[in-house]
Structure formats: C-alpha cells, structure tokens
C-alpha cells in the first residue's frame, strides 16, 4: 500500500484512503486538490422543524468522515449550509405571524444543540442561505451572461438543454427532455428533469428580496453552489449529503457551478444511504420519523444513538429498530467497562503478546476506515481486541505493559467514534432533558448497593463501571473512609 497524502502523526505505515465516488460509480483513491488540506461541502438541514434521526444518520457519517481525515493529519475545511428560506419556511413563518429569520432561529438553535449531544464536530463554516443572497444573485448573473438562463413570469430558470452533461451524477439520460418544460418546486421526482428555478418571483403577499435580477427569492439549488464556491473555491474535494439529494439537488448544483466556471465542481461525491423505519425511508412527509429528543426522552442515551448511526457503513441502508438501539447501548457499555478495567485493574509486570495484538487491531481498524469508511470492519477489529484482552485478563495473562498499548488503540478508536466518555447525563442536561431521563431513588440505591458489593470483593472494574453508569445518569458518589458511600444527584 502506498502512504496516504496527509502527514502521518503516529509513525505507523498507513494505507491509501479510497472513497466510493457517486460520480464515477466506483471506489477511487482519495487525493485532495491542495496537499494536506481537504475542502468539504455538506448540505445542511432545512430549518423549518426538528431534524429527525434519519437526518442525523447523514450528519454522523459526515462527522466520521471529518474526524477520520483529521486523524490522518489533513486540515479539514468544511462548510455546512442552513437552508433558512424555502416554500415550507415561508408558509410556516407566515402562519406563525413571524418573519422567516425569527422562525428559523429557533430550529437552528435546536439543531446545533442536538449536534452537540451526538458529539458532532462543528464545521469550520456554518452558513445561512439568507446571509448570501448577493452571492446567489451574482452567480445567476454569471449564468445569464453565458446564456444558461431565461426569464419567465418574473422567475429565472436554468436551461438544462444547454448543459450536455446534465444527468451524469444521477446516471439518468435526459436526451428526450422537452426543452422549456419548467418546474417551480425545488424537490421533484427522478426522470422528471425540467428547467429549474434559480430565482423565484414572489407570490402575492409573500416575503421577497429586492435585487438586481428583480424581486424574489433564491431557489434551493443555487444556494449550495454559491456558498460552496464562496468558501471553498471553484473546485471542492468532497461534497456530501444523503442519497436522496443526488437528483435533482446535486445534479443541479453541478449544472449551475460548472456552467458558471467551466471547471469541475466536485472531485468526490459521497452520499449516505437512508435510515429506514419499518422498511421505508424515515421522512417528515411519510410521518414515520423520530426526533433526537423523542428518543432521549424515552430513555435512550445519546451515545447509543451515535454508536448505532456510526456502526453501519454509510453506503448501506440502516434499519432503525428498538432492538438495534439496545444492542448499540450494550456495545458502548462493553467498551466503557473494558476501558475502566484497563484503567483500574492491577496486572503483573511485563509484557504479553496482547501488546502486539493491539497494534494489529489498530491496523485493521485503520484498514476498515481507509476502505470507504467501512465502520463495521473497523469496529470488528476493536471488539475482537476487547474480547481477547478480556480473556487474557481473566486468565491472568494480561501484563502491565500491555495496558498502554491497548489504551492507545482505544484512543485512536475514540477519536473517530466518540462514545467512550460517560457523559450522557451531561448531554441530556444540556438539552434540558435531565429530569425526564432521571431514574428513581430505589433504582439508584440498587446500583449503589451493587457497586458496594463489587468493591467488597475487590472487583474494581465492575465497581468503576457501576460508578460510571451512575454518573451517566446524573448521580455522584462520595466514598467515605470507613468504606461507606453517599450519593447525590448532580
Ligand atoms: P433536509 O433537511 O431534508 O434537507 O435533510 C438534511 C440531510 O438529511 C440531507 O443530507 C438528507 O439527504 C438527509 N436525510 C434525509 N432523510 C434521511 C434518511 N431517512 N436517512 C439518511 N439521511 C437522510
Ligand atoms: Zn445542498
């Protein structure tokens, strides 16, 4: 394997990264345009309501992507837009009797807080469409100057018959398309290729901007082209989103951007498959959706959800079930218990083959992620290590010097997966949800007693795990000198 393009901070030989590129339809070695730096654009949410767990599947994938690239010492510059103007926002704001800015503000705050609960890193630029109207107007003017637009009823449309590569991303053949057939809505079905609105004339009593190209508001697609190129340049390394955005949204972004600049817009297109509920795409329109807060209020930990969303490779569909959430919770618990056992266990001096075994696990972990972010493979490497190390500990074969080696592998794992720190209770509190997830005194007493019993039999791993579990649920323990314990709510 050849070394990757980023600087390797950890000395170990690392393999080449490959990504499945929707544009070419196959896996390609990843080499950024500017050595050592990766420029990523991410289609963010339309902020007219709470984001649902399906949306977060895509956002968790993007977080794994950026964390992985950063672990390879690439500088990541990621832009995420917030679509804070569209048909639904205008309608909802009018119904609520407030301006669109005021209406969307609340959902932006909720979205950003939800992201923190899931340990999603904040992109370098989080930008609102309504702050970039001038950039969009300029881009539309550029397209007009090159003959790619026409006006109809005060709206400006993109003439797709002028862009022969139209359909290349979605792999659709639009040879038979009716020139001049127009569509005004931003979201429409496959094979229904139409000239789409770049700029929409206002409907009666509707909010609008007064601009050089007339009164109105931008279409959804132009928003992303304008903001991506403003912050990242005319050619970006990676563009991400859910698979539903391939057509028409991303196809239209390519048509707009490449017609304006004459340069390739994006080098690697990465799309996350859908999260399904009852075998159908989770979506607002189908009504089969759950928000993060609904889940957390029902007693699910943020770390369980993050783990579940991260564990299934992003190019595979993810079936969301109660059972899979329970499994995820158990997996996180298993990892945390193991980390506690490493921290608190006493092992004989020396070094065993487990130290080497952990280096191999780390290599397998990296190989999984290098292969188009195969998180399932990466996790399997870590869980195999945990199982074998637990067996070695039980058999008294695990040695003091193995601890550091295994801990290093766990650290590298957690740079990407971010589930080891038991801060679920804090996360809930930050969302104002601590009370709903709090548990009763009797349950606390039972766990405290269980921990006391573990301490008595000098099972410090179990005692540490129970302390952590209590802490996760907002309970602090104060051990007294005589071996007793008091507890209180944080
Ligand atoms: P939206 O707010 O509808 O523009 O969606 C925000 C992001 O969530 C986009 O990248 C969508 O492709 C993605 N998304 C929407 N529904 C799902 C789903 N069920 N599974 C995975 N990603 C989704
Ligand atoms: Zn977009």
């Amino acid at each position: 394997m050849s070394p990757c393009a980023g600087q390797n901070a950890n000395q170990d030989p690392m393999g080449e990264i490959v990504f499945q590129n929707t544009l070419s339809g196959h896996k390609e070695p990843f080499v950024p345009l500017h050595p050592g730096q990766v420029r990523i654009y991410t289609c963010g949410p339309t902020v007219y309501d709470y984001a649902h767990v399906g949306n977060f599947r895509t956002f968790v994938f993007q977080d794994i992507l950026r964390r992985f690239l950063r672990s390879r010492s690439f500088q990541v510059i990621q832009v995420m837009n917030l679509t804070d103007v569209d048909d639904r926002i205008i309608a909802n704001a009018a119904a609520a009797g407030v301006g669109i800015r005021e209406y969307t503000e609340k959902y932006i705050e909720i979205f950003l807080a939800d992201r923190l609960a899931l340990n999603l890193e904040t992109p370098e630029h989080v930008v609102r469409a309504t702050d970039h109207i001038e950039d969009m107007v300029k881009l539309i003017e550029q397209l007009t100057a090159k003959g790619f637009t026409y006006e109809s009823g005060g709206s400006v449309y993109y003439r797709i018959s002028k862009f022969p590569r139209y359909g290349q991303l979605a792999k659709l053949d639009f040879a038979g398309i009716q020139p001049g057939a127009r569509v005004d809505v931003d979201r429409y079905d496959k094979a229904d290729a139409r000239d789409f609105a770049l700029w929409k004339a206002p409907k009666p009593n509707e909010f609008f901007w007064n601009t050089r190209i007339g009164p109105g508001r931008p279409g959804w697609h132009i928003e992303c082209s304008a903001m991506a190129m403003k912050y990242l340049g005319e050619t970006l390394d990676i563009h991400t989103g859910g698979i539903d955005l391939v057509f028409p949204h991303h196809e239209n972004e390519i048509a707009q951007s490449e017609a304006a600049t004459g340069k390739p817009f994006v080098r690697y297109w990465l799309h996350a498959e859908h999260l399904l509920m009852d075998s159908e795409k989770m979506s607002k329109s189908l009504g089969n959706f759950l928000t993060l807060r609904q889940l957390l209020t029902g007693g699910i930990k943020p770390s369980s959800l993050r783990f579940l969303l991260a564990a299934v490779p992003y190019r595979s569909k993810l079936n969301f079930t109660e059972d899979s959430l329970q499994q995820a919770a158990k997996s996180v618990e298993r990892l945390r218990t193991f980390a506690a056992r490493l921290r608190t266990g006493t092992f004989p001096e020396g070094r065993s083959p487990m130290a080497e075994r952990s280096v191999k696990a780390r290599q397998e972990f990296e190989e999984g992620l290098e292969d188009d972010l195969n998180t399932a493979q990466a996790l399997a490497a870590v869980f195999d290590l945990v199982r074998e190390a637990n067996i070695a500990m039980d058999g008294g074969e695990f040695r003091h010097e193995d601890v550091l080696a295994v801990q290093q592998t766990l650290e590298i794992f957690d740079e990407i997966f971010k589930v080891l720190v038991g801060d679920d209770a804090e996360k809930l509190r930050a969302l104002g949800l601590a009370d709903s997830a709090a548990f009763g005194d009797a349950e606390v007493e039972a766990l405290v007693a269980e921990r006391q019993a573990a301490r008595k039999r000098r099972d410090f791993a179990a005692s540490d795990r129970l302390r952590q579990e209590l802490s996760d649920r907002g309970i602090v323990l104060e051990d007294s000198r005589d071996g007793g314990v008091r507890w209180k709510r944080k």
Side-chain angles (χ1 to χ4, degrees), residues 149-157 180 182 184 197 199-201:
T149 71
Y150 61 93
E151 193 253 308
S152 174
S155 294
V156 182
Y157 292 89
R182 287 186 298 277
D184 280 303
W199 187 255
K200 300 183 180 195

Side-chain angles (χ1 to χ4, degrees), residues 59-95:
F59 297 124
V60 167
F61 139 64
Q62 290 154 355
D63 189 64
I64 298 284
L65 170 67
R66 58 170 286 139
R67 285 179 186 274
F68 175 56
L69 291 170
R70 291 196 325 116
S71 78
R72 292 301 182 89
S73 300
F74 286 111
Q75 181 201 10
V76 169
I77 306 179
Q78 184 185 10
V79 175
M80 180 178 68
N81 71 304
L82 300 169
T83 300
D84 61 349
V85 53
D86 87 335
D87 294 322
R88 292 165 294 188
I89 290 171
I90 291 176
N92 290 5

Side-chain angles (χ1 to χ4, degrees), residues 43-46 48 52 54-59 62 88 187 220 240-245 272-276 281-283:
C43 290
T46 309
Y48 72 108
H52 58 64
N55 301 133
F56 282 114
R57 199 260 159 126
T58 292
F59 297 124
Q62 290 154 355
R88 292 165 294 188
R187 296 173 195 242
W220 174 35
T240 64
I243 193 93
D244 54 313
L245 298 190
E273 256 297 349
H274 283 144
L275 178 137
L276 310 178
K281 175 193 171 196
M282 181 179 280
S283 75

Side-chain angles (χ1 to χ4, degrees), residues 23 48 72 102 139 170 244 257 286 408 446-447 459 468 472:
L23 189 61
Y48 72 108
R72 292 301 182 89
E102 193 181 335
L139 187 54
D244 54 313
S257 311
L286 289 174
Q408 273 171 354
L447 281 180
D459 183 355
Q468 189 61 55
D472 281 350

